[in-house]
Structure formats: structure tokens, C-alpha cells
Short mmCIF file of all heavy atoms in Angstrom, two decimals:
data_model
loop_
_atom_site.label_atom_id
_atom_site.label_comp_id
_atom_site.label_asym_id
_atom_site.label_seq_id
_atom_site.Cartn_x
_atom_site.Cartn_y
_atom_site.Cartn_z
N MET A 780 201.15 99.93 -234.33
CA MET A 780 200.92 98.99 -233.26
C MET A 780 202.27 98.51 -232.74
O MET A 780 203.19 98.26 -233.51
CB MET A 780 200.11 97.80 -233.76
CG MET A 780 199.90 96.76 -232.69
SD MET A 780 198.96 95.32 -233.19
CE MET A 780 200.19 94.40 -234.05
N VAL A 781 202.36 98.39 -231.44
CA VAL A 781 203.56 97.87 -230.78
C VAL A 781 203.12 96.77 -229.83
O VAL A 781 202.15 96.93 -229.09
CB VAL A 781 204.28 98.99 -229.99
CG1 VAL A 781 205.45 98.43 -229.21
CG2 VAL A 781 204.74 100.09 -230.91
N LEU A 782 203.81 95.64 -229.84
CA LEU A 782 203.54 94.54 -228.91
C LEU A 782 204.85 94.19 -228.23
O LEU A 782 205.83 93.84 -228.89
CB LEU A 782 202.98 93.32 -229.64
CG LEU A 782 202.66 92.10 -228.76
CD1 LEU A 782 201.59 92.44 -227.72
CD2 LEU A 782 202.20 90.93 -229.63
N LEU A 783 204.88 94.32 -226.90
CA LEU A 783 206.08 94.08 -226.12
C LEU A 783 205.85 93.01 -225.07
O LEU A 783 204.76 92.88 -224.55
CB LEU A 783 206.51 95.36 -225.40
CG LEU A 783 206.76 96.58 -226.28
CD1 LEU A 783 206.91 97.82 -225.42
CD2 LEU A 783 207.98 96.37 -227.14
N ALA A 784 206.91 92.27 -224.75
CA ALA A 784 206.86 91.31 -223.65
C ALA A 784 207.25 92.02 -222.37
O ALA A 784 208.18 92.84 -222.37
CB ALA A 784 207.81 90.15 -223.92
N ALA A 785 206.56 91.74 -221.28
CA ALA A 785 206.90 92.33 -219.98
C ALA A 785 208.25 91.78 -219.55
O ALA A 785 208.49 90.57 -219.60
CB ALA A 785 205.82 92.00 -218.96
N ALA A 786 209.15 92.66 -219.11
CA ALA A 786 210.50 92.26 -218.72
C ALA A 786 210.56 91.80 -217.26
O ALA A 786 211.32 90.90 -216.93
CB ALA A 786 211.47 93.41 -218.96
N SER A 787 209.78 92.42 -216.39
CA SER A 787 209.82 92.07 -214.97
C SER A 787 208.55 92.57 -214.29
O SER A 787 207.76 93.30 -214.89
CB SER A 787 211.05 92.68 -214.30
OG SER A 787 210.97 94.09 -214.32
N HIS A 788 208.37 92.15 -213.04
CA HIS A 788 207.20 92.55 -212.25
C HIS A 788 207.65 92.90 -210.84
O HIS A 788 208.60 92.31 -210.33
CB HIS A 788 206.18 91.41 -212.14
CG HIS A 788 205.58 91.01 -213.42
ND1 HIS A 788 206.04 89.95 -214.16
CD2 HIS A 788 204.56 91.53 -214.13
CE1 HIS A 788 205.32 89.84 -215.26
NE2 HIS A 788 204.42 90.78 -215.27
N THR A 789 206.94 93.82 -210.21
CA THR A 789 207.11 94.08 -208.79
C THR A 789 205.72 94.25 -208.20
O THR A 789 204.80 94.67 -208.87
CB THR A 789 207.93 95.36 -208.52
OG1 THR A 789 207.28 96.48 -209.11
CG2 THR A 789 209.34 95.24 -209.08
N GLY A 790 205.57 93.90 -206.95
CA GLY A 790 204.28 94.05 -206.28
C GLY A 790 203.29 92.96 -206.63
O GLY A 790 203.59 92.03 -207.37
N GLU A 791 202.10 93.10 -206.08
CA GLU A 791 201.05 92.09 -206.26
C GLU A 791 199.76 92.70 -206.80
O GLU A 791 198.69 92.15 -206.61
CB GLU A 791 200.76 91.41 -204.91
CG GLU A 791 201.94 90.68 -204.32
CD GLU A 791 202.37 89.49 -205.19
OE1 GLU A 791 201.49 88.84 -205.78
OE2 GLU A 791 203.58 89.24 -205.26
N GLY A 792 199.83 93.84 -207.48
CA GLY A 792 198.65 94.53 -207.98
C GLY A 792 198.01 93.85 -209.18
O GLY A 792 198.41 92.77 -209.61
N VAL A 793 197.00 94.53 -209.75
CA VAL A 793 196.22 93.98 -210.84
C VAL A 793 197.07 93.69 -212.09
O VAL A 793 196.75 92.80 -212.86
CB VAL A 793 195.03 94.92 -211.18
CG1 VAL A 793 195.52 96.25 -211.74
CG2 VAL A 793 194.06 94.27 -212.15
N LEU A 794 198.18 94.38 -212.26
CA LEU A 794 199.04 94.16 -213.43
C LEU A 794 200.21 93.23 -213.15
O LEU A 794 201.07 93.02 -214.01
CB LEU A 794 199.56 95.51 -213.96
CG LEU A 794 198.49 96.49 -214.41
CD1 LEU A 794 199.13 97.80 -214.86
CD2 LEU A 794 197.63 95.92 -215.53
N SER A 795 200.25 92.61 -211.98
CA SER A 795 201.40 91.79 -211.59
C SER A 795 201.56 90.54 -212.45
O SER A 795 202.66 89.99 -212.51
CB SER A 795 201.31 91.40 -210.12
OG SER A 795 200.20 90.56 -209.89
N ARG A 796 200.52 90.08 -213.12
CA ARG A 796 200.61 88.87 -213.94
C ARG A 796 200.75 89.18 -215.43
O ARG A 796 200.76 88.28 -216.26
CB ARG A 796 199.37 88.00 -213.71
CG ARG A 796 199.29 87.50 -212.27
CD ARG A 796 198.12 86.58 -212.04
NE ARG A 796 198.06 85.55 -213.06
CZ ARG A 796 196.94 85.18 -213.70
NH1 ARG A 796 195.80 85.74 -213.39
NH2 ARG A 796 196.97 84.27 -214.63
N VAL A 797 200.86 90.44 -215.80
CA VAL A 797 200.95 90.83 -217.21
C VAL A 797 202.18 90.22 -217.86
O VAL A 797 203.27 90.26 -217.31
CB VAL A 797 200.98 92.36 -217.34
CG1 VAL A 797 201.36 92.80 -218.74
CG2 VAL A 797 199.63 92.94 -216.96
N THR A 798 201.99 89.62 -219.03
CA THR A 798 203.10 89.04 -219.79
C THR A 798 203.37 89.81 -221.07
O THR A 798 204.48 89.76 -221.60
CB THR A 798 202.81 87.57 -220.15
OG1 THR A 798 201.57 87.50 -220.87
CG2 THR A 798 202.72 86.72 -218.88
N SER A 799 202.36 90.52 -221.61
CA SER A 799 202.52 91.28 -222.85
C SER A 799 201.73 92.58 -222.77
O SER A 799 200.69 92.64 -222.11
CB SER A 799 202.02 90.48 -224.05
OG SER A 799 202.72 89.28 -224.20
N ILE A 800 202.24 93.60 -223.44
CA ILE A 800 201.58 94.91 -223.49
C ILE A 800 201.48 95.32 -224.96
O ILE A 800 202.48 95.28 -225.68
CB ILE A 800 202.37 95.97 -222.71
CG1 ILE A 800 202.57 95.50 -221.27
CG2 ILE A 800 201.66 97.32 -222.77
CD1 ILE A 800 203.64 96.28 -220.52
N GLN A 801 200.29 95.69 -225.39
CA GLN A 801 200.07 96.11 -226.78
C GLN A 801 199.62 97.56 -226.79
O GLN A 801 198.74 97.95 -226.03
CB GLN A 801 199.01 95.23 -227.42
CG GLN A 801 198.74 95.55 -228.87
CD GLN A 801 197.67 94.63 -229.46
OE1 GLN A 801 196.78 94.18 -228.76
NE2 GLN A 801 197.79 94.37 -230.74
N ARG A 802 200.27 98.39 -227.64
CA ARG A 802 199.87 99.79 -227.79
C ARG A 802 199.32 99.98 -229.20
O ARG A 802 199.98 99.65 -230.18
CB ARG A 802 201.07 100.72 -227.59
CG ARG A 802 200.67 102.20 -227.66
CD ARG A 802 201.85 103.10 -227.51
NE ARG A 802 202.64 103.08 -228.73
CZ ARG A 802 203.93 103.38 -228.79
NH1 ARG A 802 204.59 103.70 -227.70
NH2 ARG A 802 204.57 103.35 -229.94
N ILE A 803 198.09 100.51 -229.29
CA ILE A 803 197.46 100.75 -230.59
C ILE A 803 196.86 102.16 -230.61
O ILE A 803 196.75 102.80 -229.57
CB ILE A 803 196.39 99.69 -230.91
CG1 ILE A 803 195.27 99.71 -229.86
CG2 ILE A 803 196.99 98.30 -231.01
CD1 ILE A 803 194.09 98.81 -230.23
N HIS A 804 196.47 102.61 -231.78
CA HIS A 804 195.83 103.91 -231.97
C HIS A 804 196.66 105.07 -231.41
O HIS A 804 196.14 105.98 -230.78
CB HIS A 804 194.42 103.94 -231.35
CG HIS A 804 193.54 102.85 -231.84
ND1 HIS A 804 192.88 102.02 -230.99
CD2 HIS A 804 193.22 102.43 -233.09
CE1 HIS A 804 192.19 101.14 -231.68
NE2 HIS A 804 192.37 101.37 -232.96
N THR A 805 197.97 105.01 -231.63
CA THR A 805 198.86 106.06 -231.13
C THR A 805 198.69 107.34 -231.95
O THR A 805 198.68 107.30 -233.17
CB THR A 805 200.33 105.59 -231.20
OG1 THR A 805 200.45 104.36 -230.50
CG2 THR A 805 201.26 106.63 -230.59
N GLU A 806 198.53 108.47 -231.26
CA GLU A 806 198.42 109.77 -231.89
C GLU A 806 199.39 110.72 -231.22
O GLU A 806 199.45 110.78 -230.00
CB GLU A 806 197.00 110.32 -231.77
CG GLU A 806 195.96 109.50 -232.51
CD GLU A 806 194.57 110.09 -232.39
OE1 GLU A 806 194.46 111.28 -232.05
OE2 GLU A 806 193.62 109.35 -232.63
N GLY A 807 200.13 111.49 -232.02
CA GLY A 807 201.10 112.43 -231.48
C GLY A 807 202.42 111.73 -231.24
O GLY A 807 202.76 110.75 -231.89
N GLY A 808 203.20 112.25 -230.31
CA GLY A 808 204.47 111.63 -229.96
C GLY A 808 205.55 111.87 -230.98
O GLY A 808 206.20 110.94 -231.41
N LEU A 809 205.76 113.11 -231.37
CA LEU A 809 206.78 113.41 -232.36
C LEU A 809 208.18 113.26 -231.78
O LEU A 809 208.42 113.57 -230.62
CB LEU A 809 206.60 114.83 -232.89
CG LEU A 809 205.25 115.12 -233.57
CD1 LEU A 809 205.16 116.59 -233.94
CD2 LEU A 809 205.10 114.25 -234.81
N ALA A 810 209.10 112.80 -232.61
CA ALA A 810 210.50 112.67 -232.20
C ALA A 810 211.11 114.05 -232.03
O ALA A 810 210.65 115.02 -232.63
CB ALA A 810 211.26 111.88 -233.27
N PRO A 811 212.16 114.15 -231.21
CA PRO A 811 212.84 115.44 -231.07
C PRO A 811 213.41 115.92 -232.41
O PRO A 811 213.70 115.10 -233.29
CB PRO A 811 213.99 115.14 -230.09
CG PRO A 811 213.62 113.87 -229.43
CD PRO A 811 212.76 113.11 -230.39
N ALA A 812 213.56 117.22 -232.54
CA ALA A 812 214.13 117.78 -233.77
C ALA A 812 215.53 117.25 -233.99
O ALA A 812 216.29 117.04 -233.04
CB ALA A 812 214.15 119.30 -233.67
N ALA A 813 215.89 117.01 -235.24
CA ALA A 813 217.18 116.43 -235.59
C ALA A 813 218.34 117.26 -235.05
O ALA A 813 219.37 116.72 -234.65
CB ALA A 813 217.29 116.27 -237.11
N ASN A 814 218.19 118.58 -235.02
CA ASN A 814 219.30 119.41 -234.56
C ASN A 814 219.53 119.33 -233.05
O ASN A 814 220.49 119.87 -232.54
CB ASN A 814 219.11 120.87 -235.00
CG ASN A 814 217.89 121.52 -234.38
OD1 ASN A 814 217.10 120.86 -233.72
ND2 ASN A 814 217.73 122.81 -234.60
N THR A 815 218.63 118.66 -232.30
CA THR A 815 218.83 118.47 -230.87
C THR A 815 219.37 117.08 -230.55
O THR A 815 219.65 116.79 -229.39
CB THR A 815 217.51 118.68 -230.09
OG1 THR A 815 216.58 117.66 -230.46
CG2 THR A 815 216.92 120.05 -230.34
N CYS A 816 219.53 116.24 -231.55
CA CYS A 816 220.02 114.87 -231.35
C CYS A 816 221.50 114.80 -231.70
O CYS A 816 221.89 114.53 -232.83
CB CYS A 816 219.23 113.88 -232.21
SG CYS A 816 217.53 113.70 -231.68
N ASP A 817 222.34 115.09 -230.71
CA ASP A 817 223.77 114.98 -230.89
C ASP A 817 224.36 114.35 -229.64
O ASP A 817 223.63 113.93 -228.74
CB ASP A 817 224.40 116.34 -231.21
CG ASP A 817 224.13 117.38 -230.13
OD1 ASP A 817 223.83 116.99 -228.98
OD2 ASP A 817 224.22 118.58 -230.43
N GLY A 818 225.64 114.30 -229.56
CA GLY A 818 226.30 113.65 -228.42
C GLY A 818 225.94 114.25 -227.08
O GLY A 818 225.91 113.55 -226.07
N SER A 819 225.64 115.54 -227.06
CA SER A 819 225.31 116.18 -225.78
C SER A 819 223.93 115.74 -225.25
O SER A 819 223.64 115.93 -224.08
CB SER A 819 225.34 117.71 -225.93
OG SER A 819 224.29 118.15 -226.77
N ALA A 820 223.10 115.16 -226.11
CA ALA A 820 221.77 114.70 -225.69
C ALA A 820 221.79 113.27 -225.16
O ALA A 820 220.79 112.79 -224.64
CB ALA A 820 220.79 114.80 -226.86
N SER A 821 222.93 112.60 -225.27
CA SER A 821 223.03 111.21 -224.84
C SER A 821 222.65 111.05 -223.37
O SER A 821 223.16 111.76 -222.49
CB SER A 821 224.46 110.71 -225.05
OG SER A 821 224.57 109.37 -224.64
N GLY A 822 221.73 110.15 -223.09
CA GLY A 822 221.28 109.86 -221.73
C GLY A 822 220.27 110.84 -221.16
O GLY A 822 219.83 110.67 -220.04
N LYS A 823 219.91 111.86 -221.92
CA LYS A 823 218.93 112.83 -221.44
C LYS A 823 217.53 112.42 -221.84
O LYS A 823 217.32 111.76 -222.84
CB LYS A 823 219.24 114.22 -222.00
CG LYS A 823 220.52 114.81 -221.45
CD LYS A 823 220.73 116.22 -221.93
CE LYS A 823 222.03 116.77 -221.37
NZ LYS A 823 222.32 118.09 -221.92
N GLU A 824 216.56 112.81 -221.03
CA GLU A 824 215.16 112.49 -221.27
C GLU A 824 214.54 113.51 -222.21
O GLU A 824 214.84 114.70 -222.14
CB GLU A 824 214.41 112.51 -219.94
CG GLU A 824 213.00 112.04 -220.04
CD GLU A 824 212.35 111.97 -218.68
OE1 GLU A 824 212.78 111.14 -217.85
OE2 GLU A 824 211.41 112.74 -218.44
N SER A 825 213.69 113.03 -223.10
CA SER A 825 212.94 113.89 -224.01
C SER A 825 211.47 113.58 -223.83
O SER A 825 211.09 112.41 -223.77
CB SER A 825 213.37 113.62 -225.45
OG SER A 825 212.56 114.34 -226.34
N ARG A 826 210.63 114.59 -223.74
CA ARG A 826 209.20 114.38 -223.55
C ARG A 826 208.43 114.79 -224.79
O ARG A 826 208.73 115.81 -225.40
CB ARG A 826 208.69 115.15 -222.35
CG ARG A 826 209.24 114.61 -221.06
CD ARG A 826 208.65 115.35 -219.87
NE ARG A 826 209.12 114.75 -218.66
CZ ARG A 826 208.42 113.89 -217.93
NH1 ARG A 826 207.21 113.56 -218.29
NH2 ARG A 826 208.92 113.38 -216.83
N SER A 827 207.44 113.99 -225.13
CA SER A 827 206.58 114.27 -226.28
C SER A 827 205.20 113.73 -225.95
O SER A 827 205.02 112.52 -225.78
CB SER A 827 207.14 113.60 -227.54
OG SER A 827 206.33 113.86 -228.64
N ALA A 828 204.21 114.61 -225.83
CA ALA A 828 202.86 114.18 -225.46
C ALA A 828 202.24 113.34 -226.57
O ALA A 828 202.41 113.63 -227.75
CB ALA A 828 201.98 115.40 -225.18
N TYR A 829 201.58 112.25 -226.18
CA TYR A 829 200.83 111.44 -227.13
C TYR A 829 199.69 110.74 -226.42
O TYR A 829 199.62 110.72 -225.19
CB TYR A 829 201.74 110.42 -227.84
CG TYR A 829 202.19 109.25 -226.99
CD1 TYR A 829 201.48 108.06 -226.97
CD2 TYR A 829 203.35 109.32 -226.23
CE1 TYR A 829 201.89 106.99 -226.22
CE2 TYR A 829 203.78 108.26 -225.49
CZ TYR A 829 203.06 107.09 -225.48
OH TYR A 829 203.47 106.02 -224.73
N ALA A 830 198.78 110.19 -227.20
CA ALA A 830 197.67 109.41 -226.66
C ALA A 830 197.67 108.06 -227.35
O ALA A 830 198.06 107.94 -228.51
CB ALA A 830 196.35 110.13 -226.91
N ALA A 831 197.27 107.02 -226.64
CA ALA A 831 197.23 105.67 -227.20
C ALA A 831 196.31 104.81 -226.36
O ALA A 831 195.97 105.14 -225.23
CB ALA A 831 198.64 105.07 -227.23
N ASP A 832 195.91 103.68 -226.93
CA ASP A 832 195.17 102.65 -226.20
C ASP A 832 196.15 101.54 -225.87
O ASP A 832 196.95 101.13 -226.71
CB ASP A 832 194.03 102.08 -227.06
CG ASP A 832 192.95 103.11 -227.35
OD1 ASP A 832 192.76 104.04 -226.54
OD2 ASP A 832 192.30 102.98 -228.40
N TYR A 833 196.11 101.06 -224.63
CA TYR A 833 197.00 99.99 -224.17
C TYR A 833 196.17 98.76 -223.77
O TYR A 833 195.17 98.88 -223.08
CB TYR A 833 197.80 100.44 -222.95
CG TYR A 833 198.88 101.43 -223.28
CD1 TYR A 833 198.60 102.79 -223.39
CD2 TYR A 833 200.18 101.00 -223.51
CE1 TYR A 833 199.59 103.69 -223.71
CE2 TYR A 833 201.18 101.91 -223.82
CZ TYR A 833 200.88 103.25 -223.92
OH TYR A 833 201.86 104.14 -224.24
N TYR A 834 196.63 97.60 -224.21
CA TYR A 834 196.06 96.32 -223.79
C TYR A 834 197.13 95.57 -223.01
O TYR A 834 198.26 95.47 -223.46
CB TYR A 834 195.62 95.47 -224.99
CG TYR A 834 194.36 95.95 -225.65
CD1 TYR A 834 194.40 96.93 -226.64
CD2 TYR A 834 193.13 95.44 -225.28
CE1 TYR A 834 193.24 97.37 -227.25
CE2 TYR A 834 191.96 95.88 -225.88
CZ TYR A 834 192.03 96.85 -226.87
OH TYR A 834 190.89 97.29 -227.46
N PHE A 835 196.77 95.06 -221.84
CA PHE A 835 197.69 94.31 -221.00
C PHE A 835 197.19 92.86 -220.96
O PHE A 835 196.06 92.61 -220.58
CB PHE A 835 197.73 94.90 -219.58
CG PHE A 835 198.25 96.31 -219.57
CD1 PHE A 835 197.42 97.38 -219.86
CD2 PHE A 835 199.57 96.56 -219.28
CE1 PHE A 835 197.91 98.69 -219.86
CE2 PHE A 835 200.07 97.84 -219.26
CZ PHE A 835 199.23 98.91 -219.56
N TYR A 836 198.06 91.93 -221.34
CA TYR A 836 197.67 90.52 -221.43
C TYR A 836 198.34 89.71 -220.32
O TYR A 836 199.51 89.90 -220.01
CB TYR A 836 198.08 89.94 -222.78
CG TYR A 836 197.36 90.59 -223.94
CD1 TYR A 836 197.94 91.65 -224.63
CD2 TYR A 836 196.11 90.16 -224.33
CE1 TYR A 836 197.29 92.26 -225.69
CE2 TYR A 836 195.45 90.76 -225.39
CZ TYR A 836 196.05 91.82 -226.06
OH TYR A 836 195.40 92.42 -227.10
N ALA A 837 197.57 88.79 -219.74
CA ALA A 837 198.05 87.89 -218.69
C ALA A 837 197.49 86.51 -218.97
O ALA A 837 196.48 86.37 -219.65
CB ALA A 837 197.59 88.38 -217.32
N PRO A 838 198.15 85.47 -218.46
CA PRO A 838 197.63 84.12 -218.65
C PRO A 838 196.21 84.02 -218.10
O PRO A 838 195.92 84.56 -217.03
CB PRO A 838 198.57 83.24 -217.84
CG PRO A 838 199.81 84.06 -217.66
CD PRO A 838 199.37 85.49 -217.67
N GLY A 839 195.34 83.36 -218.83
CA GLY A 839 193.95 83.23 -218.41
C GLY A 839 193.71 81.94 -217.65
O GLY A 839 194.56 81.07 -217.57
N HIS A 840 192.52 81.84 -217.10
CA HIS A 840 192.11 80.63 -216.39
C HIS A 840 190.96 79.96 -217.14
O HIS A 840 190.27 79.13 -216.60
CB HIS A 840 191.66 80.98 -214.97
CG HIS A 840 192.75 81.54 -214.13
ND1 HIS A 840 193.78 80.78 -213.65
CD2 HIS A 840 192.99 82.81 -213.71
CE1 HIS A 840 194.61 81.55 -212.96
NE2 HIS A 840 194.15 82.78 -212.99
N GLY A 841 190.77 80.37 -218.39
CA GLY A 841 189.64 79.87 -219.17
C GLY A 841 189.96 78.59 -219.92
O GLY A 841 190.89 77.86 -219.59
N ARG A 842 189.20 78.34 -220.97
CA ARG A 842 189.34 77.13 -221.77
C ARG A 842 190.61 77.20 -222.60
O ARG A 842 191.04 78.27 -223.02
CB ARG A 842 188.14 76.98 -222.69
CG ARG A 842 186.82 76.90 -221.95
CD ARG A 842 185.66 76.67 -222.90
NE ARG A 842 185.68 77.54 -224.06
CZ ARG A 842 184.97 78.65 -224.19
NH1 ARG A 842 184.20 79.05 -223.22
NH2 ARG A 842 185.03 79.37 -225.29
N ALA A 843 191.19 76.05 -222.88
CA ALA A 843 192.38 75.97 -223.73
C ALA A 843 192.04 76.51 -225.12
O ALA A 843 190.97 76.26 -225.66
CB ALA A 843 192.86 74.54 -223.82
N GLY A 844 192.95 77.28 -225.68
CA GLY A 844 192.75 77.81 -227.01
C GLY A 844 191.97 79.11 -227.06
O GLY A 844 191.77 79.68 -228.12
N VAL A 845 191.49 79.60 -225.92
CA VAL A 845 190.74 80.85 -225.86
C VAL A 845 191.66 81.93 -225.32
O VAL A 845 192.29 81.76 -224.28
CB VAL A 845 189.50 80.71 -224.95
CG1 VAL A 845 188.77 82.04 -224.82
CG2 VAL A 845 188.58 79.63 -225.49
N ALA A 846 191.78 83.03 -226.05
CA ALA A 846 192.66 84.12 -225.63
C ALA A 846 192.19 84.70 -224.30
O ALA A 846 190.99 84.82 -224.06
CB ALA A 846 192.68 85.20 -226.70
N PRO A 847 193.14 85.06 -223.43
CA PRO A 847 192.76 85.66 -222.16
C PRO A 847 192.20 87.05 -222.38
O PRO A 847 192.50 87.69 -223.38
CB PRO A 847 194.09 85.73 -221.40
CG PRO A 847 195.13 85.74 -222.46
CD PRO A 847 194.57 84.93 -223.59
N PRO A 848 191.39 87.53 -221.45
CA PRO A 848 190.85 88.89 -221.59
C PRO A 848 191.97 89.91 -221.44
O PRO A 848 192.98 89.66 -220.81
CB PRO A 848 189.85 88.99 -220.44
CG PRO A 848 190.31 87.98 -219.46
CD PRO A 848 190.94 86.87 -220.24
N ALA A 849 191.77 91.06 -222.03
CA ALA A 849 192.75 92.14 -221.94
C ALA A 849 192.19 93.25 -221.06
O ALA A 849 190.99 93.44 -220.96
CB ALA A 849 193.04 92.69 -223.33
N ILE A 850 193.07 93.96 -220.41
CA ILE A 850 192.72 95.14 -219.64
C ILE A 850 193.03 96.33 -220.53
O ILE A 850 194.14 96.45 -221.03
CB ILE A 850 193.54 95.22 -218.35
CG1 ILE A 850 193.33 93.99 -217.48
CG2 ILE A 850 193.21 96.50 -217.58
CD1 ILE A 850 194.30 93.87 -216.34
N LEU A 851 192.07 97.20 -220.75
CA LEU A 851 192.28 98.36 -221.62
C LEU A 851 192.37 99.62 -220.78
O LEU A 851 191.49 99.92 -219.99
CB LEU A 851 191.13 98.50 -222.62
CG LEU A 851 191.12 99.76 -223.48
CD1 LEU A 851 192.35 99.81 -224.37
CD2 LEU A 851 189.85 99.82 -224.31
N LEU A 852 193.48 100.34 -220.95
CA LEU A 852 193.63 101.66 -220.35
C LEU A 852 193.75 102.64 -221.50
O LEU A 852 194.50 102.39 -222.43
CB LEU A 852 194.89 101.73 -219.49
CG LEU A 852 194.96 100.79 -218.30
CD1 LEU A 852 196.28 100.98 -217.58
CD2 LEU A 852 193.82 101.03 -217.35
N GLU A 853 193.03 103.73 -221.45
CA GLU A 853 193.11 104.69 -222.54
C GLU A 853 192.97 106.11 -222.02
O GLU A 853 192.48 106.32 -220.93
CB GLU A 853 192.05 104.42 -223.60
CG GLU A 853 190.63 104.42 -223.09
CD GLU A 853 189.63 104.03 -224.14
OE1 GLU A 853 189.88 104.32 -225.32
OE2 GLU A 853 188.61 103.45 -223.80
N GLY A 854 193.45 107.03 -222.81
CA GLY A 854 193.30 108.43 -222.48
C GLY A 854 194.59 109.20 -222.67
O GLY A 854 195.65 108.62 -222.72
N PRO A 855 194.49 110.50 -222.83
CA PRO A 855 195.68 111.31 -223.06
C PRO A 855 196.58 111.31 -221.84
O PRO A 855 196.11 111.22 -220.71
CB PRO A 855 195.10 112.71 -223.33
CG PRO A 855 193.73 112.68 -222.76
CD PRO A 855 193.25 111.26 -222.81
N GLY A 856 197.86 111.37 -222.09
CA GLY A 856 198.82 111.46 -221.02
C GLY A 856 199.27 110.12 -220.47
O GLY A 856 200.23 110.06 -219.72
N LEU A 857 198.62 109.03 -220.83
CA LEU A 857 199.02 107.73 -220.32
C LEU A 857 200.44 107.38 -220.74
O LEU A 857 201.17 106.79 -219.98
CB LEU A 857 198.09 106.62 -220.85
CG LEU A 857 196.98 106.20 -219.93
CD1 LEU A 857 196.17 105.10 -220.57
CD2 LEU A 857 197.48 105.74 -218.61
N GLY A 858 200.80 107.71 -221.95
CA GLY A 858 202.09 107.28 -222.45
C GLY A 858 203.09 108.37 -222.62
O GLY A 858 203.95 108.28 -223.46
N GLU A 859 203.03 109.41 -221.83
CA GLU A 859 203.96 110.50 -222.02
C GLU A 859 205.36 110.05 -221.63
O GLU A 859 205.58 109.56 -220.54
CB GLU A 859 203.56 111.69 -221.15
CG GLU A 859 204.35 112.92 -221.46
CD GLU A 859 203.83 114.14 -220.74
OE1 GLU A 859 202.62 114.21 -220.50
OE2 GLU A 859 204.65 114.98 -220.42
N THR A 860 206.28 110.15 -222.58
CA THR A 860 207.67 109.75 -222.30
C THR A 860 208.61 110.81 -222.78
O THR A 860 208.28 111.64 -223.55
CB THR A 860 208.02 108.43 -223.00
OG1 THR A 860 207.85 108.60 -224.41
CG2 THR A 860 207.19 107.29 -222.49
#
């Protein structure tokens, strides 16, 4: 499980108020082979397919002390980096 704070926002879409992002149920996503991690790889992008469930949290308008609802996005390819 990974829980991150949103660093910034752009636009006015459905995710514009997100303050935290949680990733759970991660499958796949292997690190690059050790023999490819040297100085020549610095600053280069590496891709590794994985699947995960993401929860996006934003301040709610509900009762005090009640957690705000989360938006769940799931499926393969969502988190390919």
C-alpha cells in the first residue's frame, strides 16, 4: 500500500480537489534488472506494466468526523510507469 499527498492541481475536473492518493492491491511492476541500473541510465524512463486499485481522497461536505468518499479507479495499465 502506498499513500501519497497530492503535490499540485491543474484544471477544474473531477480530481481537482484531490488531497491524497492511495494505491492498493498492486500486482506486477518489477524493477529494472540490476545490470541496467548504472550511470548511463540516469534520467532515463523505465517502463514496467502493473495493475493496482487507486483511491483518490478530497475534503468532504459531510458530517464532522466522517471520512470523505473515495473515487476508485481500477484496471490494468492505469499505473504503467
Side-chain angles (χ1 to χ4, degrees):
M780 178 180 79
V781 175
L782 180 61
L783 303 169
S787 65
H788 296 97
T789 59
E791 298 295 324
V793 66
L794 299 178
S795 66
R796 295 183 49 225
V797 168
T798 56
S799 300
I800 304 165
Q801 182 180 30
R802 183 182 74 204
I803 61 172
H804 306 128
T805 305
E806 295 182 18
L809 300 175
N814 64 353
T815 65
C816 292
D817 58 22
S819 67
S821 180
K823 292 185 180 174
E824 187 175 295
S825 173
R826 293 183 176 260
S827 180
Y829 73 93
D832 294 332
Y833 287 84
Y834 286 87
F835 297 82
Y836 296 94
H840 296 288
R842 301 183 313 261
V845 176
I850 301 168
L851 173 63
L852 299 179
E853 57 185 329
L857 262 181
E859 189 172 329
T860 59

